[in-house]
Amino acid sequence: MKIGFIGAGKVGFSLGKFFVQGNLPVTGYYSRQRESAQEAALFTNTKPYDTMLALVRESDALFLTVPDGMIPSVYTQLRQYDLSGKQICHCSGAMTAREAFPGAEHSGAYHYSIHPLFPISSKYTAYRELPGAFFCLDGDGPHLTWWRDTLAALGPTVRIIPGEGKVRYHAACAMASNLVCALAAESLELLESCGFPQDLARQALAPLMEANLAHILQDGPEAALTGPVERCDTETVAKHLACLPDDDARRLYTAASRKLVDLAQKKHPDKDYQSMNQILKEGSRT
């Protein structure tokens, strides 16, 4: 199983190095920017390719590690070549193998989505953390369980999901990662409006966020829930809504808080949260 990469960005760098470290044979990289392919090949001790065709000929599996919007067009280029028996893989969290590779059933190749559920922020260091990551796979072909078992042997937790669940899976990932950045940014802006320098604002929030996240991951969000919504402290929630700077901030607060009411009701089934729901309903209209 010789693995080649089309695209030499952070994901291509990281997966290539991860595979090489795990003794999987990587042929090398093709990129429209020759310098990028050379840099990735040097980093992984593999080979830069001058043409896509040369990489295709020397590889059994081809990873399209390009931006999501470019995957179908790069695949269209690949279709010019003989792909019989090849494996074509992408790493998008939102797209299934089928929708990323239109007309796949006529290409003679097998098609897979192999998504590392991990924020790859550095092309030179992220590979070290991939053994502790979660990988989600989908696709049609006989190699899917091979990829599951091979990746799991390198350390990650791996799960195959049906294609129809892929978008919901990716939305869940975005909520747990990207949307947390929005909540953190709003919190920091509120602290800065109280006179906190930005560095001190982050320092102040760090123990709170770290302890809460650890509790959520260990015991679940229901057990980790604290604060005015759980206590049904409508007076404090009303004050929060009144102090928020604009409609967007209030909508963010009320949307998240409605979900907290659902958690609080499960945690305290005998408690009446009707007044809290009313405050949040009114707050979303202001």
Side-chain angles (χ1 to χ4, degrees):
M1 177 71 72
K2 295 178 290 185
I3 303 166
F5 287 87
I6 299 173
K10 291 185 290 187
V11 174
F13 261 68
S14 301
L15 277 183
K17 188 73 168 182
F18 178 55
F19 290 163
V20 167
Q21 295 282 92
N23 295 316
L24 297 182
V26 175
T27 51
Y29 293 82
Y30 168 77
S31 173
R32 288 186 302 176
Q33 288 75 40
R34 169 72 177 173
E35 297 79 8
S36 298
Q38 289 174 324
E39 185 183 4
L42 180 64
F43 181 61
T44 56
N45 195 29
T46 60
K47 176 181 173 182
Y49 286 81
D50 291 323
T51 67
M52 190 183 293
L53 176 58
L55 178 67
V56 170
R57 284 175 171 168
E58 295 188 11
S59 304
D60 302 308
L62 295 156
F63 275 73
L64 277 57
T65 49
V66 297
D68 285 13
M70 292 178 61
I71 292 172
S73 62
V74 172
Y75 177 64
T76 299
Q77 290 179 262
L78 273 178
R79 291 285 303 273
Q80 302 174 62
Y81 312 123
D82 180 11
L83 301 179
S84 299
K86 304 283 186 183
Q87 298 178 46
I88 315 297
C89 309
H90 73 74
C91 300
S92 168
M95 286 195 289
T96 66
R98 185 172 293 276
E99 65 185 322
F101 303 127
E105 63 276 13
H106 306 300
S107 69
Y110 303 103
H111 301 80
Y112 305 103
S113 168
I114 298 176
H115 178 243
L117 178 48
F118 189 81
I120 297 178
S121 56
S122 168
K123 62 185 181 182
Y124 288 112
T125 61
Y127 74 92
R128 298 172 186 161
E129 299 173 281
L130 288 178
F134 184 99
F135 278 69
C136 179
L137 316 183
D138 86 83
D140 300 310
H143 312 91
L144 199 57
T145 54
W146 184 91
W147 279 109
R148 180 196 63 197
D149 297 343
T150 298
L151 289 168
L154 300 183
T157 300
V158 186
R159 185 173 181 84
I160 297 171
I161 67 169
E164 59 269 20
K166 191 72 181 290
V167 174
R168 291 193 300 276
Y169 153 82
H170 194 252
C173 299
M175 287 184 180
S177 179
N178 308 140
L179 297 192
V180 171
C181 294
L183 292 170
E186 194 67 45
S187 298
L188 290 168
E189 288 174 15
L190 287 170
L191 286 180
E192 288 169 32
S193 73
C194 301
F196 281 69
Q198 190 174 92
D199 287 350
L200 184 59
R202 288 200 300 268
Q203 182 182 339
L205 290 177
L208 175 68
M209 295 178 70
E210 289 169 355
N212 196 49
L213 179 58
H215 196 183
I216 289 170
L217 295 178
Q218 179 175 325
D219 302 313
E222 184 180 318
L225 180 61
T226 62
V229 171
E230 186 205 7
R231 297 193 300 270
C232 203
D233 182 353
T234 54
E235 183 176 348
T236 295
V237 170
K239 287 180 179 179
H240 288 175
L241 289 166
C243 83
L244 293 175
D246 53 46
D247 288 346
D248 283 344
R250 282 187 284 276
R251 282 192 287 267
L252 183 65
Y253 185 99
T254 55
S257 294
R258 280 201 206 79
K259 187 64 180 180
L260 296 187
V261 172
D262 292 341
L263 291 175
Q265 193 71 76
K266 291 177 183 175
K267 189 174 182 178
H268 307 290
D270 297 329
K271 199 166 187 175
D272 184 0
Y273 285 92
Q274 186 174 350
S275 58
M276 179 60 71
N277 277 319
Q278 185 61 35
I279 288 288
L280 293 172
K281 185 177 179 180
E282 293 170 358
S284 65
R285 294 172 179 165
T286 57

